[in-house]
Amino acid sequence: MATPSKKRDVEEMDVQSDEDEDDLDDYSSSEEEDEDGIADEDVQVDFEAVPPTDADANGIRTLLSQLFLKANINLGQLADTIISQNYVGCVLKQCEVEEDESDDGIDEDPIFGVTTVINLTDKKNLESVKQLKAMLLMQCEKWAADKLPVFNQILLDTCEKQIGFLISERFINMPSSVAVPLYESLSKDLQSEKVNR
């Protein structure tokens, strides 16, 4: 599969997330706890934006499946496309933490978000891109029928411009504050790719 074509600076993001934490050792009967003994606490988590690799394929597919919930799109091929163009966009992972001996040998590096752009013009022969275009035209027909001829011209290869489809998906409980650095990184990647063309 694809390997990173160039190294990028890894952006570290410091994000606060509200998560429920059940800690039996620190159990107290304060008013903040409900009857189950679960307290609301702020948990400090560090994330990093890194180029996608082959090991991220399942995580990317999972995020794409929640983005295209009922669409008929080959998500495996779309995930492979995202990985093959790892010079544009990134995946969001938790910064490396010290290994806990209670992991039972499970080596998981979950993906918490993905941000990239799929070039619909260059990738027009891929089945997943054809399916994506068909879904977009169907949505346009449903919600903006008067603009359908314009979208047909843009999406059905009669337009000479490069057309990109922005993918920005993250787990629902991820704070929105992670979006700004991801978009800034994507903008830099696109400018760099434009210069290299």
Side-chain angles (χ1 to χ4, degrees):
M1 288 264 196
T3 58
S5 59
K6 65 178 183 176
K7 292 186 178 182
R8 275 197 301 177
D9 293 333
V10 175
E11 294 186 20
E12 293 191 15
M13 293 169 274
D14 196 24
V15 179
Q16 282 191 334
S17 176
D18 293 330
E19 292 185 9
D20 293 337
E21 186 174 283
D22 188 7
D23 190 354
L24 297 177
D25 295 335
D26 296 332
Y27 182 80
S28 67
S29 58
S30 69
E31 292 180 14
E32 295 177 357
E33 295 181 4
D34 62 9
E35 66 251 10
D36 294 334
I38 299 174
D40 289 334
E41 295 182 21
D42 286 341
V43 176
Q44 194 74 17
V45 180
D46 291 330
F47 293 101
E48 59 184 357
V50 296
T53 63
D54 292 338
D56 302 328
N58 286 333
I60 293 171
R61 242 185 321 258
T62 300
L63 288 169
L64 291 175
S65 68
Q66 75 183 32
L67 179 62
F68 300 112
L69 190 58
K70 295 182 180 180
N72 182 23
I73 297 175
N74 184 342
L75 300 180
Q77 187 182 56
L78 197 56
D80 291 342
T81 302
I82 290 170
I83 292 168
S84 71
Q85 61 173 32
N86 59 7
Y87 47 88
V88 175
C90 57
V91 293
L92 191 63
K93 295 182 178 185
Q94 185 176 354
C95 290
E96 291 197 25
V97 291
E98 293 180 19
E99 301 259 342
D100 188 9
E101 292 181 15
S102 63
D103 282 347
D104 297 329
I106 299 173
D107 186 20
E108 257 186 57
D109 199 6
I111 305 297
F112 293 95
V114 60
T115 303
T116 191
V117 172
I118 302 293
N119 188 326
L120 300 181
T121 307
D122 286 351
K123 312 276 188 208
K124 64 184 174 187
N125 295 327
L126 292 176
E127 188 62 32
S128 58
V129 171
K130 291 177 185 175
Q131 294 166 340
L132 182 59
K133 286 181 178 182
M135 182 206 70
L136 291 172
L137 288 173
M138 186 176 69
Q139 291 298 317
C140 179
E141 185 176 10
K142 182 177 179 181
W143 300 105
D146 57 327
K147 303 290 184 187
L148 189 58
V150 175
F151 280 101
N152 270 323
Q153 180 184 9
I154 292 171
L155 291 174
L156 298 179
D157 305 325
T158 57
C159 182
E160 296 179 11
K161 295 182 180 180
Q162 296 289 314
I163 306 297
F165 183 78
L166 175 67
I167 294 177
S168 179
E169 185 67 13
R170 60 185 187 273
F171 282 124
I172 197 164
N173 59 348
M174 291 292 295
S176 59
S177 60
V178 301
V180 174
L182 290 175
Y183 286 130
E184 289 172 350
S185 173
L186 181 61
S187 177
K188 289 176 189 173
D189 291 346
L190 290 172
Q191 290 299 323
S192 175
E193 178 61 19
K194 188 176 178 181
V195 169
N196 291 337
R197 276 189 164 217

